Amino acid sequence: MTTTTSPLRLSHVSATLGGHQILHDVTLEVRPGELMALVGPNGAGKTTLLSVMAGDIVPTSGEAVLDGRPLARWKVAALARSRAVLPQEQRLAFGFRAVDVVRMGRAPWARLPQEDLDDVVVADAMHRTDVLSLAERSFPTLSGGEKARTSFARVLAQQTSLVLLDEPTAALDIRHQEQVLSEARRLAADGHAVVAVLHDLTVAAAHADRICMLADGRLRADGPPQEVIRPEILRDVYGHPVDVIDHHGRLVVLPHLLTHDQEPTCAP
């Protein structure tokens, strides 16, 4: 697979959607060889930030740069060979077979020498996501988890240096959550830059090299899990008290239970 030594850089990025400012002055780098988890409360701006990283949303101020070139200046086909995106929702209106959906990831390589590898790459991606048995099934007939894994196989088949995953584990059972995140870690180990939006803080702490925490469209914390997954930070950002326990070297986040006469604390 092709990798890059140049990071994705966001410099003082702000973004406005529908007249509302969603992101405020976000600066960060996405580095090859690293799995970054984007976490934060609902409405924090995680999906919007991922869309800026993908080049799907142009910042209202600031700049997003991939390989030394602003994302807004990339041609569509070239960008598709450099970054792959797994969206939150898997929408396909037509009854494509699962194998056809995975093969869509090879479209950016059409009429290039890499096209000769299509069959091998597609089969490998489906094997790694445990969807080979679904190859002939119509995509709309799959369960939510099966659709998510098939779509992740499409991302793997695209073979890009930057991989952006929006809630890749949301519809998955425990075994397939671990499988998908293990593949994300494998990509990072192979030199790819991987960003995943995750809601489960325990899962994020277990798998990510680095955690970027958003709140109200602002970057509130950025660093290794041990520095970011801390009770005082989580209470401030999420507006709810938690305990963080070190369980055999893995951080486990346990929210305090509310009794019937308690009200949740509002996040700032």
Side-chain angles (χ1 to χ4, degrees):
M1 293 187 183
T2 303
T3 59
T4 179
T5 57
S6 300
L8 171 69
R9 293 186 178 91
L10 274 61
S11 301
H12 303 290
V13 162
S14 296
T16 299
L17 298 176
H20 299 281
Q21 188 168 355
I22 307 300
L23 297 177
H24 303 262
D25 196 35
V26 175
T27 295
L28 58 82
E29 291 188 2
V30 180
R31 296 183 284 264
E34 182 177 76
L35 172 55
M36 173 199 291
L38 287 181
V39 304
N42 293 336
K46 301 182 296 295
T47 293
T48 300
L49 181 57
L50 202 75
S51 295
V52 170
M53 292 177 175
D56 294 332
I57 292 178
V58 178
T60 51
S61 63
E63 191 173 51
V65 176
L66 176 63
D67 285 348
R69 186 194 317 168
L71 278 168
R73 290 171 48 192
W74 281 74
K75 293 183 178 179
V76 173
L79 186 58
R81 291 191 291 270
S82 293
R83 67 95 180 95
V85 184
L86 179 70
Q88 279 188 36
E89 298 182 24
Q90 319 304 325
R91 296 179 180 176
L92 279 175
F94 303 102
F96 293 103
R97 297 176 304 164
V99 67
D100 297 326
V101 173
V102 179
R103 193 172 291 277
M104 290 175 187
R106 300 301 299 164
W109 302 104
R111 296 178 295 280
L112 293 172
Q114 291 88 339
E115 185 179 44
D116 295 340
L117 300 174
D118 283 2
D119 290 342
V120 173
V121 171
V122 168
D124 179 64
M126 297 186 76
H127 172 72
R128 288 162 61 183
T129 54
D130 195 24
V131 294
L132 274 174
S133 63
L134 307 175
E136 299 302 318
R137 289 272 304 276
S138 171
F139 188 80
T141 70
L142 302 180
S143 71
E146 290 168 340
K147 288 178 180 177
R149 283 156 41 215
T150 300
S151 296
F152 183 51
R154 173 190 58 77
V155 167
L156 294 181
Q158 199 168 333
Q159 292 194 308
T160 59
S161 58
L162 174 63
V163 177
L164 305 172
L165 310 171
D166 198 353
E167 298 190 36
T169 62
L172 302 183
D173 57 41
I174 293 174
R175 179 170 75 90
H176 287 113
Q177 281 186 25
E178 288 299 309
Q179 183 182 45
V180 164
L181 290 174
S182 292
E183 286 299 329
R185 285 213 54 82
R186 174 178 167 179
L187 286 171
D190 286 343
H192 300 255
V194 184
V195 181
V197 173
L198 297 172
H199 275 291
D200 190 318
L201 297 172
T202 298
V203 169
H207 291 279
D209 301 297
R210 175 181 165 204
I211 294 180
C212 290
M213 186 173 291
L214 294 177
D216 298 320
R218 293 178 171 85
L219 188 60
R220 296 290 295 273
D222 179 2
Q226 293 80 4
E227 294 181 7
V228 175
I229 304 300
R230 295 167 55 186
E232 64 274 19
I233 294 176
L234 300 183
R235 181 187 177 99
D236 181 44
V237 168
Y238 286 88
H240 189 87
V242 303
D243 291 323
V244 178
I245 299 171
D246 188 327
H247 179 68
H248 303 298
R250 295 181 63 166
L251 300 179
V252 178
V253 178
L254 297 175
H256 290 193
L257 297 179
L258 291 176
T259 62
H260 70 279
D261 57 347
Q262 288 179 307
E263 294 291 335
T265 304
C266 292

